[in-house]
C-alpha cells in the first residue's frame, strides 16, 4: 500500500520560487553528469553535501537530510515527507538529534524529484550537511513551557532563514551549530554548540539572550564559554554573524580533526577570541549599538478552541508516579503513558503529548497518522525533539484519553518519552559510513535494563546515549551513561567494544562525562546493571545516580566494572566477536577512508583537489546567478592552492592573512608562480558583496582558475625532494633533469607526458585522475609509472573510470618503469 493511499488528505502545494527551482535544476544536471561518469565523485561530493545529500555506508545510495528549523513542521509538510519516504526511500524516516528528518537508501537519480517535492511544501535539504551552519535547533516546548522566559521560536526561525544560502555560510572550515533554549532547564543543550542562545531578561524587563560560544562534542568535547551575558534583540543577528566571520577567517582548513571553532578558541584563548569577535562586529559594519528592531519571522501556532476547559487530571511529568507506585492498584497503560509522555502547558486547559519514536524511527504510515492526529486534536502543528521524538501541542486536556486510544491503535503509545528509557542512538553501522558498531542494536538490548514506563523513580534524572563512533552524533559525552563504539583486536580476531563515559550533563553546570572503561559490546548490559546495583548499594539518602557518580569518582567505578571488560578467546565463546544483531563476525574493514591524508605529497594533492572543488562550485553558482557566493568559492580556491604550495615550506598557516603573507614571501617572490600572482591577498579580496555582478564573479573565477593552474603546474614539476622550481626554469625544460632526478627514458610519443615514476599508489592514480579532469574528451595523456603495484593498479582504475588505454609498454629493457597512453572519455 502506498503512502498516498494511507491518508485521505491531499498534500497542499505551492509554486517553487524561481531561484530555488533553478538551484534544484543545477543539482539535477550535476547528478546526471555524475551518473554518466562525466565528473568524478571527489568533485561531486562537496557539491552534494552542500545540498544536504549524504553518502551511506552502502554504495550507490544516498541519505537525504531534511532541515527542520527548531523542529517545527506542519501536518501538510509531514504528509509530503511520508510520500517521499514511501516512493523513493525505505518507507521509514529517522528523526535526528538536530531535529532533522533523514530518509535513507535513496538513489541519486531520484534526489532532484524529492527536492522539488519538499520545496513545494516549504522544506529544503540545503546546508543540512557540509561545512555550513547546520539546522538551528530549539526547545520543543517553546511557547508552551511553564518555566520559559519567553518563546524563542520566532528568533530561532529568523536566524535559521537568515543564514540559509547566506554567502557567509557557504565555505566554513567545518560545520557550525546553533541552538536556542527558553528556560533554565536548557532543553536545546546550548553549552555543546558553536553558538548557544539562552533566553534572558534584564532587571529593566528587556529580553535578550545569554550567548555562549565554542562548544562541541566529537573526539575532543568542549563546553561553550560565555561571550555575552546579555545580547539585545537588535544585536542578535550581527553578533552571530561576527562569530561566524571570526571562525571563517581563523578556522583550520588543513586538518578536519582540528577544524571546529572550539579549536580556534583553544589556540587563541577565549579573551583573544572575544577581542577578535568585537573587531569583526565593527568591521562588518555593525557599529554598536544598532538600535534597529529585529525583523522576526513568525511561526503560526494558535491554539484550538477549548470546548470543555475543565482539567482532565493531567499533572506534570513524574507528579503521579510516586503515588501510583506506592498505591495499591497498578497503573493502567493509559495512566502510565499520561504520566510519562504528557506535559501541562502554561496555557490553562491545554497539554502537550510526546509521541515516543524508538530511536527516532517511524514509518510513512505513522507519519501520515501523526499528521491526521495533529489536525484532529490540535492546530495541525508538530515538532520534532532533540531526543528523536515528535510532539503535538495545544491539545485540550479533555481529549487526551481519545488521543491515546488513537496512538495505541498504530503502535505509537509507548510510555517513557524523553526519560531515561528513551535511549538515544545514532544510526551506527546500519547506514553510516563512519559507524564502527551497531548503536541501535545495543539500544534494543538496553531496553531490558530500562523498561519503558517502569523505570524506578531513582533513575528519573538519568540519560543514556549511544554513538556508533567517537563523533558523538548521539551526544554520548553529555549523558549520565554515554557509550561510543570502537573495535579491539584480540589475537587474530576483532571484537566490538564501547567506551563507557559517566557523569555527563548539561542542566546546571555543564560537564563532559569521564571515559571510565572499555567494555565488550556483549557485556554492556550486564555492566550497566551492575553499575546501578552499586549505586543502590552505596548511595546516600536522596542521592541520584548523577550525584553518586560525581561523589564516588571514576577510579572506584572502574574497579567495580573491571570484571565486565574480560573477553574470552574466540574458540571459547565466539559470540563476543559478533556485534549486537550481527550475523557475521565483527570486522573494521568496511569503514570508509580516514581523515588523515598521510604525508606531504598527499597534503599537497589534497590542497589542489580542494581548489578544484571550490572552482567547480564557483562555476555552478555563477551559472545559477548566485554571484556573491560564487566569488566566495573562487576566493577559497585561491586560498586552498596557496596553502598546498606552502606545504613544501613545511607550513600550515591557520589564517587567511598568514597564508597570503607567507605565500608572498616564500613562493611568489621566488618566482615559483608567474609575477601576476604577487601580492595575492590584495588581488583576491574577501567575500563578495551582495551586489556582486555576473561580470565581476566571472573575472574572479578566471583569476582563480589561472592561479590554481599555475600552482598545479608547479606541483607537477616538483621532485621527490618537494623543491619547487622557478617559472623561468620550468619554461626552459620540457621535464625534470633525467640524469639527476629520473632514470633515462625514450622520447615521448606525442601526447602530454605526466611523469609519475617514484610516486606510489594511490597518489599516482589520484594525480592522473586530476590531470584528466582538466583535459577535454579525446585528448591523450602519456603517464609514466613504476613497475609493480603502479602498473598493475593505475591502468585498471582508469579503465574502471571509463577512459581508454591505448598503449602500455616498458620504458626500458629492465622493465623497471612503464608508460601508459590514456585517452580521456567523457
Amino acid at each position: 500500500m502506498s503512502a498516498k493511499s494511507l491518508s485521505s488528505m491531499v498534500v497542499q502545494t505551492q509554486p517553487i520560487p524561481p531561484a530555488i527551482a533553478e538551484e534544484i535544476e543545477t543539482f539535477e544536471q550535476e547528478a546526471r553528469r555524475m551518473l554518466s561518469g562525466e565528473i568524478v565523485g571527489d568533485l561531486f561530493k562537496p557539491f552534494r553535501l552542500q545540498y544536504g545529500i549524504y553518502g551511506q555506508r552502502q554504495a550507490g545510495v544516498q541519505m537525504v537530510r531534511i532541515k527542520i528549523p527548531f523542529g517545527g513542521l506542519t501536518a501538510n509538510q509531514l504528509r509530503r515527507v511520508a510520500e517521499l519516504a514511501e516512493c523513493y526511500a525505505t518507507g521509514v524516516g529517522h528523526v535526528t538529534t538536530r531535529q532533522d528528518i533523514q530518509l535513507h537508501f535513496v538513489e541519486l537519480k531520484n534526489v532532484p524529484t524529492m527536492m522539488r517535492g519538499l520545496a513545494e511544501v516549504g522544506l529544503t535539504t540545503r546546508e543540512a550537511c557540509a561545512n555550513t551552519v547546520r539546522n538551528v535547533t530549539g526547545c520543543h516546548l517553546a511557547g508552551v513551557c511553564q518555566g520559559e522566559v519567553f518563546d524563542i521560536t520566532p528568533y530561532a526561525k529568523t536566524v535559521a532563514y537568515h543564514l540559509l544560502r547566506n554567502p557567509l555560510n557557504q565555505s566554513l572550515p567545518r560545520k557550525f551549530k546553533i541552538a536556542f533554549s527558553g528556560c533554565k532547564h536548557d532543553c536545546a543543550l546550548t553549552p555543546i554548540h558553536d553558538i548557544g542562545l539562552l533566553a534572558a531578561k534584564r532587571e529593566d524587563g528587556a529580553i535578550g539572550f545569554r550567548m555562549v560560544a565554542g562548544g562541541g562534542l566529537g573526539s575532543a568535547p568542549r563546553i561553550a564559554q560565555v561571550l555575552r551575558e546579555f545580547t539585545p534583540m537588535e544585536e542578535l543577528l550581527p553578533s552571530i554573524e561576527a562569530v561566524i566571520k571570526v571562525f571563517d577567517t581563523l578556522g583550520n582548513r588543513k586538518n578536519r580533526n582540528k577544524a571546529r571553532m572550539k579549536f580556534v578558541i583553544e589556540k587563541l584563548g577565549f579573551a583573544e577570541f572575544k577581542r577578535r569577535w568585537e573587531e569583526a562586529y565593527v568591521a562588518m559594519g555593525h557599529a554598536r549599538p544598532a538600535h534597529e528592531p529585529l525583523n522576526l519571522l513568525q511561526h503560526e501556532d494558535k491554539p484550538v478552541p477549548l470546548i470543555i476547559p475543565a482539567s482532565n487530571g493531567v499533572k506534570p511529568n513524574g507528579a503521579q508516579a510516586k503515588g501510583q507506585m506506592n498505591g495499591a492498584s497498578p497503573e493502567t497503560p493509559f495512566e502510565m503513558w499520561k504520566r510519562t509522555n504528557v506535559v501541562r502547558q502554561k496555557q490553562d486547559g491545554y497539554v502537550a503529548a510526546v509521541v515516543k519514536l524508538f530511536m527516532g524511527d517511524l514509518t510513512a504510515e505513522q507519519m501520515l497518522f501523526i499528521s491526521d492526529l495533529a489536525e484532529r486534536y490540535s492546530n495541525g502543528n508538530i515538532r520534532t525533539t532533540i531526543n528523536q521524538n515528535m510532539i503535538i501541542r495545544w491539545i485540550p486536556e479533555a481529549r487526551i484519553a481519545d488521543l491515546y486510544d488513537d496512538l495505541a491503535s498504530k503502535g505509537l503509545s509507548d510510555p517513557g518519552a524523553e526519560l531515561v528509557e528513551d535511549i538515544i542512538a545514532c544510526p551506527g553501522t546500519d547506514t553510516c559510513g563512519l559507524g564502527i558498531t551497531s548503536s541501535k542494536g545495543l539500544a534494543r538490548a538496553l531496553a531490558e535494563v530500562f523498561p519503558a514506563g517502569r523505570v524506578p523513580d531513582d533513575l528519573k534524572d538519568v540519560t543514556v546515549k549511544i554513538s556508533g563512533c567517537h563523533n558523538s552524533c548521539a551526544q554520548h559525552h553529555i549523558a549520565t551513561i554515554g557509550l561510543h563504539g570502537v573495535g579491539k583486536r584480540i589475537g587474530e580476531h576483532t571484537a566490538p567494544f564501547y567506551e563507557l563515559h559517566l557523569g555527563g550533563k548539561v542542566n546546571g553546570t555543564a560537564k563532559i562525562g569521564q571515559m571510565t572503561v572499555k567494555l565488550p559490546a556483549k557485556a554492556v548490559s550486564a555492566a550497566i546493571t551492575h553499575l546501578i546495583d552499586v549505586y543502590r548499594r552505596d548511595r546516600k539518602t536522596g542521592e541520584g545516580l548523577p550525584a553518586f557518580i560525581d561523589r564516588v569518582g571514576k577510579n572506584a567505578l572502574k574497579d567495580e566494572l573491571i570484571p565486565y571488560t574480560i573477553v574470552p578467546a574466540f574458540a571459547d565463546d565466539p559470540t563476543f566477536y559478533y556485534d549486537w544483531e550481527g550475523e557475521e563476525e565483527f570486522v573494521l574493514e568496511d569503514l570508509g577512508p580516514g581523515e588523515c591524508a598521510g604525508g606531504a605529497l598527499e597534503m599537497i594533492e589534497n590542497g589542489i583537489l580542494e581548489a578544484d572543488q571550490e572552482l567547480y562550485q564557483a562555476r555552478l553558482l555563477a551559472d545559477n546567478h548566485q554571484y556573491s557566493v560564487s566569488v566566495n568559492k573562487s576566493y577559497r580556491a585561491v586560498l586552498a592552492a596557496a596553502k598546498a604550495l606552502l606545504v613544501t615550506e613545511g607550513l600550515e598557516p591557520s589564517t587567511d592573512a598568514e597564508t597570503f603573507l607567507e605565500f608572498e614571501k616564500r613562493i611568489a617572490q621566488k618566482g615559483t608562480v608567474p609575477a601576476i600572482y604577487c601580492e595575492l591577498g590584495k588581488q583576491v579580496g574577501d567575500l563578495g558583496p551582495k551586489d556582486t555582478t555576473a561580470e565581476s564573479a566571472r573575472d574572479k573565477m578566471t583569476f582563480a582558475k589561472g592561479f590554481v593552474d599555475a600552482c598545479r603546474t608547479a606541483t607537477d614539476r616538483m621532485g621527490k625532494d618537494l623543491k619547487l622550481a622557478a617559472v623561468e626554469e620550468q619554461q626552459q625544460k620540457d621535464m625534470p633533469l633525467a640524469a639527476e632526478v629520473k632514470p633515462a627514458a625514450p622520447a615521448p610519443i606525442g601526447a602530454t607526458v605526466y611523469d609519475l615514476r617514484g610516486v606510489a599508489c594511490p597518489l599516482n592514480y589520484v594525480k592522473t585522475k586530476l590531470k584528466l579532469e582538466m583535459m577535454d574528451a579525446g585528448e591523450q595523456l602519456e603517464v609514466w609509472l613504476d613497475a609493480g603495484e603502479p602498473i598493475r593498479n593505475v591502468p585498471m582504475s582508469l579503465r574502471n573510470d571509463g577512459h581508454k588505454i591505448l598503449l602500455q609498454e616498458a620504458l626500458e629493457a629492465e622493465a623497471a618503469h612503464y608508460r601508459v597512453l590514456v585517452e580521456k572519455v567523457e
Side-chain angles (χ1 to χ4, degrees):
M1 183 180 293
S2 70
K4 192 174 254 186
S5 65
L6 294 174
S7 175
S8 60
M9 302 299 294
V10 177
V11 174
Q12 303 299 312
T13 61
Q14 59 192 13
I16 302 175
I20 295 177
E22 189 174 15
E23 178 182 284
I24 296 172
E25 287 170 8
T26 301
F27 183 91
E28 186 169 42
Q29 291 168 4
E30 296 308 304
R32 286 174 180 164
R33 292 183 65 205
M34 171 66 190
L35 292 171
S36 67
E38 291 183 51
I39 56 175
V40 296
D42 284 343
L43 284 178
F44 183 67
K45 179 180 177 181
F47 174 74
R48 164 174 58 77
L49 289 172
Q50 202 87 2
Y51 280 76
I53 312 303
Y54 205 90
Q56 287 190 194
R57 190 182 192 90
Q58 298 80 6
V61 290
Q62 315 295 321
M63 177 267 282
V64 174
R65 180 177 289 160
I66 304 166
K67 230 175 180 181
I68 316 290
F70 64 89
L73 274 170
T74 65
N76 188 62
Q77 290 173 326
L78 187 56
R79 287 193 185 97
R80 174 50 56 90
V81 175
E83 288 181 359
L84 297 177
E86 186 69 23
C87 293
Y88 301 110
T90 60
V92 174
H94 176 74
V95 177
T96 75
T97 55
R98 293 212 66 73
Q99 297 177 290
D100 297 313
I101 296 179
Q102 294 178 176
L103 304 180
H104 293 87
F105 293 94
V106 176
E107 294 185 54
L108 182 59
K109 66 180 182 180
N110 293 326
V111 170
T113 302
M114 297 178 71
M115 288 178 170
R116 291 188 180 95
L118 292 169
E120 288 176 341
V121 295
L123 294 174
T124 186
T125 62
R126 180 68 188 253
E127 295 154 35
C129 306
N131 298 331
T132 61
V133 174
R134 300 291 184 86
N135 193 43
V136 175
T137 57
C139 175
H140 58 277
L141 291 174
V144 302
C145 173
Q146 295 187 42
E148 70 182 2
V149 178
F150 58 86
D151 182 6
I152 55 88
T153 301
Y155 302 95
K157 183 174 183 177
T158 300
V159 168
Y161 285 98
H162 175 76
L163 295 174
L164 183 65
R165 299 182 177 89
N166 191 313
L168 187 64
N169 172 36
Q170 303 305 304
S171 296
L172 297 176
R174 199 68 174 89
K175 58 189 174 184
F176 195 93
K177 299 179 179 181
I178 300 174
F180 284 80
S181 282
C183 76
K184 64 181 181 180
H185 295 296
D186 202 353
C187 299
L189 312 177
T190 60
I192 63 167
H193 285 76
D194 293 285
I195 293 178
L197 296 148
L198 185 65
K201 180 181 287 188
R202 286 195 312 219
E203 291 183 0
D204 62 4
I207 60 171
F209 289 97
R210 181 177 188 262
M211 186 176 187
V212 297
L217 298 180
S219 59
R222 299 288 187 276
I223 296 298
Q225 301 179 61
V226 178
L227 187 65
R228 299 189 74 176
E229 279 291 350
F230 187 85
T231 307
M233 292 309 187
E234 66 271 15
E235 297 179 16
L236 178 61
L237 288 178
S239 293
I240 291 171
E241 284 188 341
V243 173
I244 296 174
K245 178 63 177 175
V246 173
F247 175 50
D248 186 53
T249 303
L250 300 179
N252 188 331
R253 296 179 185 272
K254 297 302 297 182
N255 184 352
R256 284 171 59 86
N257 294 327
K258 296 287 185 181
R260 292 291 298 274
M261 194 174 75
K262 58 190 176 184
F263 295 110
V264 174
I265 293 173
E266 188 172 87
K267 182 176 180 179
L268 294 178
F270 196 76
E272 176 62 14
F273 174 83
K274 186 173 182 178
R275 188 187 70 79
R276 300 286 186 103
W277 167 77
E278 290 172 346
E279 286 182 352
Y281 189 102
V282 175
M284 294 176 75
H286 307 304
R288 190 180 294 116
H291 296 304
E292 295 178 3
L294 183 61
N295 185 18
L296 286 176
L297 299 178
Q298 297 300 324
H299 180 67
E300 192 71 22
D301 195 23
K302 295 180 180 178
V304 294
L306 280 177
I307 300 174
I308 307 176
S311 171
N312 193 37
V314 178
K315 297 183 176 65
N317 280 2
Q320 294 178 338
K322 184 179 291 187
Q324 287 167 334
M325 287 181 180
N326 295 334
S329 60
E331 286 182 305
T332 66
F334 166 64
E335 289 170 338
M336 184 184 295
W337 174 83
K338 187 172 67 173
R339 169 174 58 83
T340 62
N341 292 40
V342 178
V343 180
R344 181 186 292 278
Q345 295 186 186
K346 67 181 181 181
Q347 297 85 2
D348 289 341
Y350 292 96
V351 295
V354 181
V355 182
K356 184 183 175 186
L357 308 175
F358 188 65
M359 288 180 290
D361 292 341
L362 75 168
T363 66
E365 180 181 4
Q366 290 172 329
M367 291 185 218
L368 292 173
F369 190 64
I370 291 173
S371 299
D372 290 346
L373 295 182
E375 291 179 335
R376 187 182 311 161
Y377 291 97
S378 184
N379 58 9
N381 283 341
I382 302 151
R383 295 207 188 187
T384 56
T385 83
I386 64 167
N387 288 324
Q388 302 177 292
N389 296 312
M390 287 187 172
I391 185 170
I392 303 174
R393 299 126 55 92
W394 295 106
I395 304 166
E397 288 187 26
R399 304 193 67 192
I400 197 66
D402 294 335
L403 172 64
Y404 170 80
D405 290 338
D406 279 337
L407 288 170
S409 71
K410 297 294 183 182
L412 291 169
S413 61
D414 287 347
E418 308 283 309
L419 301 177
V420 58
E421 56 263 52
D422 197 0
I423 296 170
I424 307 301
C426 72
T429 51
D430 285 8
T431 56
C432 180
L434 298 176
I436 295 174
T437 56
S438 176
S439 43
K440 284 189 171 184
L442 177 59
R444 281 185 277 268
L446 287 177
E448 296 183 7
V449 180
F450 302 102
R454 298 190 300 276
V455 176
D457 197 49
D458 61 354
L459 299 179
K460 66 180 181 180
D461 295 326
V462 172
T463 55
V464 181
K465 301 176 185 285
I466 310 169
S467 299
C469 73
H470 69 268
N471 285 312
S472 199
C473 293
Q475 303 167 340
H476 62 269
H477 289 106
I478 55 167
T480 314
I481 299 172
L483 298 142
H484 90 257
V486 296
K488 183 176 181 180
R489 179 161 292 280
I490 302 174
E492 297 181 356
H493 301 272
T494 304
F497 268 67
Y498 283 88
E499 291 191 0
L500 175 64
H501 300 251
L502 295 176
K505 62 179 181 178
V506 168
N507 289 345
T509 302
K511 179 184 176 184
I512 299 297
Q514 286 190 296
M515 206 295 280
T516 304
V517 70
K518 287 186 179 180
L519 299 165
K522 291 301 177 69
V524 170
S525 294
I528 291 178
T529 299
H530 180 68
L531 173 68
I532 294 170
D533 289 342
V534 171
Y535 155 63
R536 288 173 176 154
R537 182 192 71 198
D538 298 341
R539 66 186 174 189
K540 294 182 177 180
T541 303
E543 187 176 44
L545 180 58
F548 173 79
I549 291 171
D550 287 344
R551 177 176 63 82
V552 173
K554 167 183 172 178
N555 292 336
L557 295 176
K558 180 178 181 179
D559 290 343
E560 289 282 352
L561 296 172
I562 285 297
Y564 298 92
T565 65
I566 299 170
V567 178
F570 183 85
D572 295 333
D573 190 349
T575 62
F576 276 79
Y577 300 83
Y578 287 72
D579 206 349
W580 284 103
E581 302 176 358
E583 296 180 356
E584 298 179 354
E585 185 180 344
F586 180 79
V587 293
L588 292 177
E589 296 172 358
D590 288 338
L591 288 179
E595 300 287 351
C596 180
L601 285 173
E602 288 90 342
M603 291 174 68
I604 295 168
E605 192 65 45
N606 286 346
I608 299 298
L609 173 59
E610 180 184 342
D612 285 335
Q613 292 170 340
E614 297 285 6
L615 277 175
Y616 169 73
Q617 293 193 66
R619 176 180 62 79
L620 294 178
L621 289 161
D623 290 344
N624 201 30
H625 312 304
Q626 298 183 42
Y627 302 123
S628 59
V629 186
S630 174
V631 169
N632 176 239
K633 292 294 184 182
S634 296
Y635 173 84
R636 292 297 168 202
V638 171
L639 196 67
K643 286 186 174 182
L645 264 61
L646 285 172
V647 172
T648 64
E649 299 290 327
L651 297 177
E652 289 187 80
S654 299
T655 68
D656 297 4
E658 184 184 354
T659 299
F660 292 134
L661 179 66
E662 294 294 343
F663 186 88
E664 176 67 19
K665 181 170 60 176
R666 297 172 180 266
I667 304 294
Q669 291 184 10
K670 293 179 180 179
T672 303
V673 294
I676 60 171
Y677 300 117
C678 290
E679 296 187 330
L680 195 59
K682 293 181 180 179
Q683 296 199 63
V684 298
D686 205 336
L687 298 176
K690 293 183 178 179
D691 59 352
T692 302
T693 65
E695 183 179 2
S696 61
R698 296 287 178 188
D699 289 343
K700 289 281 189 182
M701 200 187 321
T702 299
F703 178 89
K705 187 178 187 308
F707 176 74
V708 173
D709 286 344
C711 292
R712 180 182 292 104
T713 299
T715 59
D716 287 348
R717 299 288 186 177
M718 183 177 62
K720 287 187 287 186
D721 58 1
L722 300 184
K723 290 184 178 179
L724 297 171
V727 173
E728 293 78 6
E729 296 172 6
Q730 293 177 13
Q731 292 172 344
Q732 294 170 5
K733 307 170 186 175
D734 291 331
M735 53 185 294
L737 289 174
E740 296 178 14
V741 181
K742 299 284 186 181
I749 57 179
T752 300
V753 173
Y754 198 21
D755 190 349
L756 295 178
R757 291 173 294 173
V759 180
C761 296
L763 257 187
N764 43 24
Y765 162 66
V766 175
K767 283 178 171 286
T768 304
K769 179 174 65 172
L770 286 173
K771 193 77 169 178
L772 289 168
E773 279 293 323
M774 307 307 295
M775 298 171 63
D776 295 327
E779 284 192 86
Q780 295 179 3
L781 178 68
E782 182 179 338
V783 185
W784 292 2
L785 299 165
D786 293 335
E789 284 191 352
I791 192 59
R792 287 197 302 269
N793 296 340
V794 174
M796 179 178 63
S797 297
L798 294 173
R799 285 192 187 96
N800 291 340
D801 289 342
H803 303 298
K804 293 181 181 179
I805 304 299
L806 304 179
L807 174 69
Q808 181 175 319
E809 65 180 15
L811 282 172
E812 65 277 298
E814 294 82 6
H817 308 94
Y818 287 77
R819 66 173 161 198
V820 178
L821 186 62
V822 188
E823 180 178 315
K824 179 175 179 177
V825 177
E826 287 289 0

